[in-house]
Amino acid sequence: MIISWPEWDKGLVIYINQLGNADWDIFWGFSTSIMAWTPLYLAFLFVALKSFTRRRAFAVITTILFALALTLLCTEIVKEIVQRPRPVNDPEVGGNLRLIIKGYGYSFFSGHASNSMAITTLFICFMRKRQRWVYAICLWPLLFGVSRLYFAVHYPIDVLVGWTAGFLIGMGIYLYMGRTLLHYAAYRETVPHRQ
């Protein structure tokens, strides 16, 4: 698909990428690794299990996993339709970048940004009345998005659209599925167990 992308988008990714150095490369590399975020995923699981009954926690976890799957699917479909090359692979931009990691596939829109925002949105929707600190996890998608720009594997528009798509998918799933599953789980807890 041929789209005319704004020049500021290219200039900003070059600027952010050029701010880096070897020390920051290590920080940003670690901040996007699965090892860095595994404790957060486990914390999400632990908080859900401690904040809800078993059935309600299962409803929360199921909803989040469904949102993750839907977000991954939507991201990949859009990437295949739009086919925007990643900055590191774009001949117009690539020569001006510090190559830190190799990007594969297409750029628009950022899967890291959309997935992290969808999960964050859902987790906040489910936990906002139970855990006051829950809004602090907004730092997670912010870090993911900035890391994508730092490594020049996405343009700023890719990250902004990823965050927006993740938020909309997260809210839509919460409104149309998450609340329903949570209410159903609460209802099932009131029904006597049949032998």
Side-chain angles (χ1 to χ4, degrees), residues 64-147:
I64 290 173
L65 290 174
F66 179 77
L68 180 61
L70 182 63
T71 306
L72 285 167
L73 179 66
C74 291
T75 302
E76 290 307 311
I77 288 171
V78 171
K79 282 183 178 187
E80 289 299 320
I81 291 170
V82 176
Q83 296 186 357
R84 184 181 196 188
R86 293 181 183 272
V88 294
N89 301 332
D90 188 340
E92 291 181 32
V93 180
N96 299 317
L97 297 171
R98 296 171 52 248
L99 184 60
I100 305 160
I101 61 173
K102 182 72 176 150
Y104 298 98
Y106 297 114
S107 182
F108 185 83
F109 53 88
S110 170
H112 280 80
S114 61
N115 293 330
S116 60
M117 184 59 83
I119 293 169
T120 298
T121 300
L122 272 170
F123 201 73
I124 288 172
C125 287
F126 282 123
M127 303 306 260
R128 68 187 187 282
K129 294 180 182 174
R130 298 175 184 278
Q131 305 289 337
R132 291 188 175 170
W133 57 265
V134 75
Y135 294 98
I137 66 170
C138 288
L139 293 174
W140 177 41
L142 181 66
L143 277 173
F144 260 19
V146 171
S147 75

